[in-house]
Amino acid sequence: MMTDNPEEAMTFGELLALIAEQQRRLTVLESAFSSLTFCLDERAAQLMVHHLTLEAQNQNHDEHLQQHFARLAQVLQKHPGAQPADPVA
């Protein structure tokens, strides 16, 4: 990697530490977001899953990002708030 200021360049160890920290932060965010459906009413949870499903089909996103949207939609769909209600007889 070329840089105009070599004194500002990261070492490989610093880069690995930064990546590890970002992975931990993403894990926390994923956990918080996936439990969000427990706080939403059924309709809002369904809308969120629908939106994520549409993002998974969005051709403006690369394939990997589409896959992540699809996986998150699947995870959220498994939570009780995201399931369609059974018809009441």
Side-chain angles (χ1 to χ4, degrees):
M1 178 171 95
M2 299 296 289
T3 180
D4 292 336
N5 297 321
E7 62 276 359
E8 292 180 11
M10 292 181 129
T11 66
F12 187 67
E14 290 171 332
L15 180 59
L16 289 177
L18 178 64
I19 291 169
E21 177 62 22
Q22 294 303 316
Q23 287 175 326
R24 286 189 290 275
R25 293 179 70 185
L26 283 174
T27 298
V28 170
L29 288 172
E30 286 174 347
S31 176
F33 196 80
S34 65
S35 64
L36 183 61
T37 56
F38 292 121
C39 304
L40 299 175
D41 63 42
E42 181 181 323
R43 180 71 179 140
Q46 289 175 1
L47 287 172
M48 183 187 320
V49 168
H50 178 71
H51 173 73
L52 291 169
T53 302
L54 291 177
E55 288 297 325
Q57 298 167 359
N58 185 339
Q59 296 299 310
N60 291 327
H61 298 311
D62 65 45
E63 183 180 341
H64 295 292
L65 188 55
Q66 288 175 331
Q67 290 171 0
H68 287 292
F69 275 117
R71 275 188 237 133
L72 183 56
Q74 290 171 353
V75 167
L76 294 179
Q77 205 163 26
K78 292 178 184 177
H79 289 286
Q83 298 298 320
D86 293 329
V88 178

